[in-house]
Amino acid sequence: MASDRDLDWLLPPDVERLRTLERWSLVLLELIRDRIAEIECRDRATEAARSGPIAAPLTDWKVEMPIGAGPQSSVLVHTADCRLASGRTRPATREQVLDALRRPQVEVCSICPAARDLGVTSS
């Protein structure tokens, strides 16, 4: 590792400015990761378009996202044909739903048979 003397020209001498640089680096890293994911997704879509149409996988589940993002906001799991689900739903596989149900803010719809079909007890 480089000695402290080698880095004196690059980094500020006080903790406050170093913490600012640390936060900025984390923000920049997240932006870089988002851009990488965006480009990879675009590349996959381009490759898929070259390969021809692929049938979308059918899902038997919907995950309903909350209106607010507060700590009390809950996420609901529904069967794909549940009429109680709002327009804020996303399709999900059984594995994704079971994984989501491990989190305390995720609940199973009490109207549709999602709990029975998944073999879980609704809370």
Side-chain angles (χ1 to χ4, degrees):
M1 181 165 188
S3 71
D4 289 341
R5 185 173 272 175
D6 293 339
L7 297 177
D8 284 347
W9 68 272
L10 181 62
L11 300 173
D14 59 290
V15 173
E16 184 177 332
R17 287 189 285 173
L18 285 169
R19 293 282 182 212
T20 300
L21 284 174
E22 178 185 39
R23 282 191 299 273
W24 171 245
S25 297
L26 292 172
V27 168
L28 187 58
L29 179 60
E30 187 65 29
L31 289 170
I32 291 168
R33 288 178 174 163
D34 287 348
R35 180 59 57 92
I36 289 169
E38 178 184 307
I39 291 170
E40 288 175 341
C41 183
R42 186 182 65 217
D43 290 348
R44 281 191 302 272
T46 302
E47 184 61 34
R50 282 188 210 132
S51 302
I54 298 174
L58 299 175
T59 58
D60 293 329
W61 309 100
K62 291 181 188 176
V63 177
E64 181 176 353
M65 305 311 288
I67 292 175
Q72 301 301 323
S73 301
S74 63
V75 176
L76 284 175
V77 172
H78 301 274
T79 57
D81 59 349
C82 180
R83 294 180 189 245
L84 184 65
S86 74
R88 297 180 316 278
T89 60
R90 303 287 183 267
T93 65
R94 180 181 179 84
E95 292 77 23
Q96 289 169 327
V97 167
L98 289 172
D99 185 50
L101 286 170
R102 292 187 184 101
R103 289 177 253 146
Q105 70 271 23
V106 180
E107 300 174 8
V108 180
C109 175
S110 60
I111 305 300
C112 69
R116 183 198 69 211
D117 293 352
L118 290 166
V120 297
T121 56
S122 58
S123 49

